[in-house]
Amino acid sequence: QVQLAESGGGLVQPGGSLRLSCVVSGRPFRVAVMGWYHQTPGKERELVARISTVGTTNYADSVKGRFTISRDNAKNTVYLEMTSLKPEDTDVYYCHGRWGTNVYWGQGIQVTVSS
């Protein structure tokens, strides 16, 4: 059974930072393309950042220069370092893993940016 377990969300003030983590079990982590998505109620889930098996990254324009995705294959974990957070970053964030044509999602974690 594949599991993607997110942690690290919460409430932060504008300008603050958070680090999201996603631990993967049930599939060989190092061969997965991993990503983070966000979703606002009533809207489609959108890509925030993605990292390939060899560490190539891409980002949504709205987070470039502020967010960093990374992976630790030894810990089966993908991270999303979020800095200079803005109120519009408030959303539920989902960990995403793709093994070929097989895709799995975490349950989602709330990030709220508010003073």
Side-chain angles (χ1 to χ4, degrees):
Q1 182 179 359
V2 180
Q3 290 189 327
L4 282 66
E6 301 119 332
S7 62
L11 173 64
V12 63
Q13 291 187 343
S17 299
L18 281 176
R19 187 176 79 158
L20 304 183
S21 301
C22 174
V23 179
V24 176
S25 59
R27 281 267 193 168
F29 179 77
R30 63 179 61 250
V31 300
V33 176
M34 299 300 301
W36 289 94
Y37 286 69
H38 70 114
Q39 187 170 26
T40 302
K43 295 187 177 181
E44 290 189 0
R45 204 167 288 187
E46 296 180 338
L47 177 71
V48 176
R50 181 188 294 122
I51 185 166
S52 75
T53 58
V54 295
T56 303
T57 58
N58 60 292
Y59 297 90
D61 287 343
S62 60
V63 306
K64 284 180 180 177
R66 300 189 299 122
F67 291 10
T68 303
I69 189 170
S70 62
R71 64 191 298 158
D72 186 336
N73 289 342
K75 296 183 178 180
N76 292 349
T77 302
V78 61
Y79 303 98
L80 185 68
E81 192 76 39
M82 311 166 75
T83 65
S84 301
L85 282 160
K86 306 174 182 179
E88 51 264 42
D89 295 319
T90 296
D91 244 332
V92 178
Y93 286 75
Y94 294 88
C95 181
H96 172 273
R98 179 166 59 84
W99 288 258
T101 58
N102 296 303
V103 171
Y104 300 90
W105 294 94
Q107 291 190 333
I109 191 164
Q110 179 70 43
V111 171
T112 302
V113 184
S114 176
S115 55

